[in-house]
Amino acid sequence: IYIVPVMILTGYPFLVKLDIWNQRKFQFLVPLSTNYFKPIYLNYLTIKDIKSPLLAALSGILLALTFPRYNLEVLAWVAWIPLFFAIENQTPQMAALLGFVTGMVFYNWGLNWINNTLINYGGLHWIFSFAVLGLLSAYLSLIIALFSYLLRKVSGENRNHFFIFAPILWTALEYLRSTHSEYGFSWLGLGYSQFQNLPVIQISEWTGVYGISWVIIMVNSGLFLSWKCWRDQNKKPFEIKTGWRILSVTLFVFSLWLAYGTIFWKENLSYTSNRPHIKMGLIQGNVEQFKKWNPIYQNQVISRYKDLTLKAAKENPSLIIWPETATPFYFEEDEEQTESLRNLAREIKIPIL
């Protein structure tokens, strides 16, 4: 590709010679006089150079799409495969950097709603709001970076080690990230993406959400390694057997997982359909965020919830439930308001959650 001419203040044209596909350098012809150009060679990035970062970013996009508002939870079962291809044959340090790219795309996108809260209700300037989001995303991305680093460091090119180690490693890191008493942050845990996939999540009765995270990474690892073994079968004929074994184990475990969830789910539906039902009152005050903690509106907010509660009590439910953080005060710290709420429960003789 030749780009000519670009006139500058000197009146001399610049000539730029590009050969993107075949060369790693381009000529930049600098005008030294009206009839002489000195060639300068500069490096530039090729498609091959940016393939790994693009694959890492693609994993971040797919992960973000598995959560609300998009709820494409089926993508979670393949979302990690681009990252696995990106870190293939990379050093552990480069794998960590690519994992960090995945995390930054994923968490910046998945948590972008925080900006609305910080700007409109926290009073932060939009620049500082995006800075806070960036710092939070960077902190969370360190987990994916560490995952990628250790996965390459421990597994290397050993398919079996990768298949066994990846799900265990991610589940352990996610558990530590979510439950640490001081630095824990449980949002966007991988298993939560399947909240609409009822057969898959039934086993969480025994494993918690971390069991769902484990099986998602297991399936991603199995599909990645199976494809990798099929791709390399010409170079290493025995690889195809390894690929079939990994794929068979993946499908077997996932099938058992789904079978258990489906049977358990249907048994529970059958059992509960014949049991007495409990009437519950759900209170939704629809209080605008800017009013919630404004002292001027405190009595108005409390009165709204009390009126709705008294109205629901006329239907004689077994339990009345208020929304999360419905009270515009700290329960048990504000003694007057706390006692008022307790008196409401005593008055209607119905528990309030």
Side-chain angles (χ1 to χ4, degrees):
I1 302 173
Y2 291 89
I3 305 173
V4 294
V6 179
M7 302 300 293
I8 59 172
L9 293 177
T10 60
Y12 301 144
F14 279 97
L15 300 180
V16 181
K17 180 181 178 182
L18 300 174
D19 191 352
I20 297 177
W21 299 106
N22 299 318
Q23 301 292 331
R24 290 188 54 83
K25 296 181 179 180
F26 66 82
Q27 291 183 5
F28 187 67
L29 305 180
V30 181
L32 299 181
S33 67
T34 56
N35 57 5
Y36 176 67
F37 291 82
K38 179 180 179 181
I40 297 178
Y41 296 92
L42 300 176
N43 286 326
Y44 63 86
L45 294 175
T46 65
I47 299 298
K48 184 178 180 180
D49 293 326
I50 62 175
K51 182 179 74 172
S52 293
L54 287 177
L55 287 172
L58 177 59
S59 274
I61 293 171
L62 293 176
L63 286 170
L65 292 175
T66 64
F67 288 89
R69 358 186 236 276
Y70 312 98
N71 291 328
L72 301 176
E73 66 271 6
V74 68
L75 295 179
W77 304 98
V78 296
W80 292 84
I81 294 177
L83 175 61
F84 291 157
F85 275 113
I87 67 176
E88 183 183 16
N89 299 321
Q90 302 284 1
T91 64
Q93 292 80 3
M94 181 56 68
L97 180 60
L98 293 169
F100 188 79
V101 171
T102 296
M104 287 298 287
V105 174
F106 172 35
Y107 293 117
N108 270 294
W109 190 346
L111 298 174
N112 67 76
W113 58 269
I114 290 178
N115 283 322
N116 177 63
T117 303
L118 294 178
I119 294 171
N120 294 320
Y121 307 116
L124 281 183
H125 190 277
W126 67 269
I127 294 178
F128 296 108
S129 174
F130 277 95
V132 170
L133 175 60
L135 289 173
L136 175 60
S137 299
Y139 168 67
L140 297 174
S141 298
L142 292 176
I143 300 297
I144 302 182
L146 181 60
F147 169 73
S148 302
Y149 176 88
L150 294 176
L151 190 58
R152 285 296 302 163
K153 187 77 172 177
V154 174
S155 300
E157 296 303 316
N158 189 303
R159 273 62 162 161
N160 295 324
H161 290 176
F162 189 109
F163 182 63
I164 296 171
F165 186 58
I168 296 174
L169 175 62
W170 175 258
T171 306
L173 291 174
E174 188 174 86
Y175 178 81
L176 291 174
R177 189 203 76 174
S178 302
T179 60
H180 193 281
S181 58
E182 294 184 12
Y183 305 109
F185 192 90
S186 62
W187 295 1
L188 297 183
L190 188 57
Y192 292 124
S193 66
Q194 303 302 303
F195 72 96
Q196 296 184 115
N197 196 340
L198 298 183
V200 168
I201 66 175
Q202 295 306 307
I203 206 169
S204 61
E205 179 182 9
W206 307 103
T207 66
V209 68
Y210 307 105
I212 314 303
S213 297
W214 178 90
V215 76
I216 291 174
I217 295 295
M218 188 272 295
V219 170
N220 275 269
S221 301
L223 295 177
F224 162 70
L225 293 169
S226 300
W227 173 261
K228 186 177 179 181
C229 291
W230 179 83
R231 183 196 63 188
D232 297 341
Q233 63 178 314
N234 293 330
K235 300 177 183 177
K236 303 175 181 178
F238 61 88
E239 284 291 307
I240 193 65
K241 294 183 179 180
T242 302
W244 277 115
R245 285 197 296 267
I246 291 175
L247 182 60
S248 298
V249 172
T250 302
L251 294 176
F252 178 72
V253 172
F254 187 65
S255 298
L256 286 180
W257 196 286
L258 276 182
Y260 171 86
T262 302
I263 294 171
F264 186 78
W265 176 36
K266 289 183 177 179
E267 284 183 352
N268 272 302
L269 286 177
S270 175
Y271 175 76
T272 55
S273 63
N274 298 321
R275 303 290 293 177
H277 292 107
I278 298 175
K279 183 185 291 185
M280 303 174 71
L282 304 180
I283 309 301
Q284 180 56 270
N286 291 326
V287 177
E288 297 178 80
Q289 187 70 26
F290 79 92
K291 291 183 177 180
K292 187 171 180 180
W293 288 98
N294 190 326
I296 298 175
Y297 298 101
Q298 185 184 60
N299 291 331
Q300 177 184 331
V301 172
I302 294 174
S303 296
R304 178 180 298 187
Y305 277 104
K306 285 184 175 181
D307 292 342
L308 290 172
T309 300
L310 291 171
K311 182 179 180 180
K314 295 178 180 179
E315 301 293 330
N316 196 29
S318 300
L319 177 68
I320 289 179
I321 301 177
W322 286 18
E324 178 187 13
T325 64
T327 57
F329 60 89
Y330 292 108
F331 193 77
E332 291 189 338
E333 290 188 14
D334 188 324
E335 295 181 1
E336 180 180 351
Q337 295 291 0
T338 299
E339 189 60 25
S340 175
L341 183 55
R342 286 175 171 154
N343 287 334
L344 175 64
R346 296 187 187 105
E347 177 185 346
I348 62 178
K349 294 182 174 61
I350 299 172
I352 300 175
L353 175 61

